[in-house]
Amino acid sequence: MFLGEQEQFMSYNGEVLIFQLSKTKHVEGAADKAINLRVRRMAFNRDTNLFVQKSSGVFSICASHFKIEIVCCSCITDSRTGIMLPCILMKKKKRNNIFKYLLLLLHSSNQFEQSFHFKLDYELKEDIRLFTGPSVLWRHANKLFYISSNTCTVLCAPVQLSSVVWTGGIENEGTVILGIRTACLPESEDEDEFSTSDRAIWGSEFFGYAVERQKMLTGTCFMPHAYSRVVSSVYVCKNEILKNQLRISLVAVTDKNQLIWFQDGLPKGVCDLPYEKPCSVITAVTSSSDLLFIVSFASGNVCVIHRRDSLQVASKWQKVKSVLVDDFIGSGSEQLLLLFKDDSNTDVLSAFKITDLEGVDYASGINYKHGVPAAEGLQENGFLTVQALETRLQAGWKCVRELQQNLRLKKKVILKSCQALIDLVEGRTHILPPAKKEGLVSLWDDVENPPHSLSKEASLASNVPEHFVEKLWQRVVDDSLVVGVKLIESFYVSLSDVSLSLVLDRDFSSISPIIECRNKIMKLNKAFSALSVSSCQIEPPPKKMKLDLHSKNDLKKECPRSCSGVHLDGAKTVIAVTSLSPLLAFHRVCCIVLLHAKKQKRQNDHLQERKKITVLCGKIFLSLEDISNGKYSVKMLRDNSYCTGSMEDILSVLAVSIRFCFQIVSSDCTLTPVNSWLLGEMECTPFKECHDNMFCHKAGNVYGTVFNWTLKNPFEGVLTLFCRNLTVLFQCLHSLTRVLPPSCDVKLLRSGSKGVLTEQLALTLEKEMLTLRSSFFSKESKAENSFTWRNEPGKKISDAPVASLLDSEEGVQQFRKKLQKEREESVLSMNQTMNGAIYQQIALKIAEAQLSSDMIVWRLI
């Protein structure tokens, strides 16, 4: 590094960026002189305990008759891509006191990009800040000025101020500056009495100004106005909006050599600083999630304050050139990098210290491989020790749970044994509970039951509880009638393949009383954070199989029904969707709602035993007059930026909609425009019960469309649409492609995530294998029994050794007869006949298992 060079440094993605200005070597014949802005990316090497250069870059600036300086540098967000980039503000001083400023962005390839430039007739000296855009903000003559890459024009904010103590982002407000100005007493009496008195006493006040929205914010949500005379720097730790009110947590350093913690505008803690004239404060989050406050002083000193039970000074250093915060050692948490002043060495990274005040401690001049205090080795050993202790703790907890389970089982066995002993003493017959109820598995082969007849299936309906329907409701959406049945939890858990049928409660000789319904399945998770809708009939078209082999009078075979199951907290809802217009021809209609399901009994390590049931849920009444009055209409209204609607309204909209799922991937830009598109152009508002799902209020065909936008990372997300038809889908996609960057890749996804479908495929293949195995062993056991019956008692062949039989001709003949007889018996055992009913039941089970696995494979392709 040459003497007289100017340098600045900053941290970025765990690296230290060093910016240096140096003059190029003069070339004879060259008229203009050039200044090189060099950048070096330095990364910390834990093996050598040194910062090593990874890469570098150069930007040449024409410097004829100019004086060039680096004003400041910082990390900002590029509004074009949403990516954080290093930003450098350069100054050229021309003649006649004209100053030209350049704003440069540094990309990952070490290429500099000139974002914009501007000229001023004065020099920037006070409260210079770089923020999102990139943009530059400064104070001059008690006025606030700013310029951004979007406008490239210097703008003046309509505020008077004496200082800027903080600049940053606030939720729903964008970039906000917190400043101090002379108190402006209100003419009206509507304002807070204490706030007015503070300003009147101290003569100054805090105020907030949203730059992009050009909006004033009250300063009392940050700090009381009484502190406006002493606060020199502020750092906002957290900001959020709760119940339409801005909640802010921050720390501030004062001219009284204090650090004060404020929460929601009120002081919560104070700490005296060890040095005078604090000038800035930043934060760091350590590996143990402790929040550290780093305060820098004008004298070059630094102290760290931790916030546990109270604010206390944890450590302090002197003769510090700069302090940076980042993950310099790649541990996943933040550390402090202290750069000390070293007059004996011109390298800025010659004297440093990396620490988090816990287990991380690296300092320059110490080689941990050969030095005595092997701090790195101790740190790694400590980390491995913690991992081993966590593993032992988990193993111990698992052992405790197994012991608890064994104790419960032993207690249950003892109670059952006592009851059996009491019955034996009193002469009563002790009835053993069924093995299935006790969760036991038989050690002997179970006798296979023949298929159940329809009469036996009907008799199972008597096991249905008397009050199993919690609610029966109906809605009208466009030309569709939606009927829902909310079942009690205790009844639903024992069912599978649940569906509904609608039957007209009048005798129509010319038409069928059975109403055709569409089949859909809807799922809502417990927290209402995601919705999904998929059709029940989603197997590949070439492989439609008729699985119902029972009587033709079975209602299930005569019409398709809805089998929409909604998984929600303590209750389950089954939904049927049918066309409304055919029903309106009768003016007044009464429909019977029937529930179809398979009653299942769970057995450990066995397939579920299921029996079909059909039960009556109730009746619904429908008239043209009620529909005209909007009695069953869906009501989706806006209320304080939310969409209000009952659970039945939400389920109805989803039931009649078609679900489409798209994966959106961007290689070089973040996907922030998608959320802005939903809230802005599409006029969407989130459901009050489910903020992640939004209802479209935009007039036209797209009204009523439901969106779900989930970000996996800033560059990849999944957009789910629930729309009425394909026309609405194409309109939404056309509108979306206009706001997405050209490099975005939009891909249509099959229903269901790949991970979930893969897990389901594994389970169905296992079920298919168990079905085949149980069917095979059932047939084989019957063949073995048949083989045993065919062996007559007097015809058993002796077990003489084979060698003794081959000694004579008669022995050879006897051995030949024995071998021939075994061949015949083997053929007979493999050609066993099977009862037709048993074969029908086995074929049905195998077909159901294979069809389920084929459907999931088709969805995965």
Side-chain angles (χ1 to χ4, degrees), residues 431-447:
I431 302 176
L432 293 174
K436 299 176 184 178
K437 184 177 179 181
E438 295 297 317
L440 303 176
V441 180
S442 176
L443 297 177
W444 305 97
D445 293 333
D446 296 329
V447 179

Side-chain angles (χ1 to χ4, degrees), residues 466-473 484-491 568-573 617 648:
E466 184 176 355
H467 302 288
F468 64 92
V469 176
E470 184 175 331
K471 186 177 183 181
L472 175 64
W473 53 269
V485 177
K486 192 175 183 180
L487 305 175
I488 60 175
E489 173 72 12
S490 58
F491 175 61
L568 190 58
D569 299 327
K572 308 293 179 179
T573 303
C617 298
E648 291 78 12

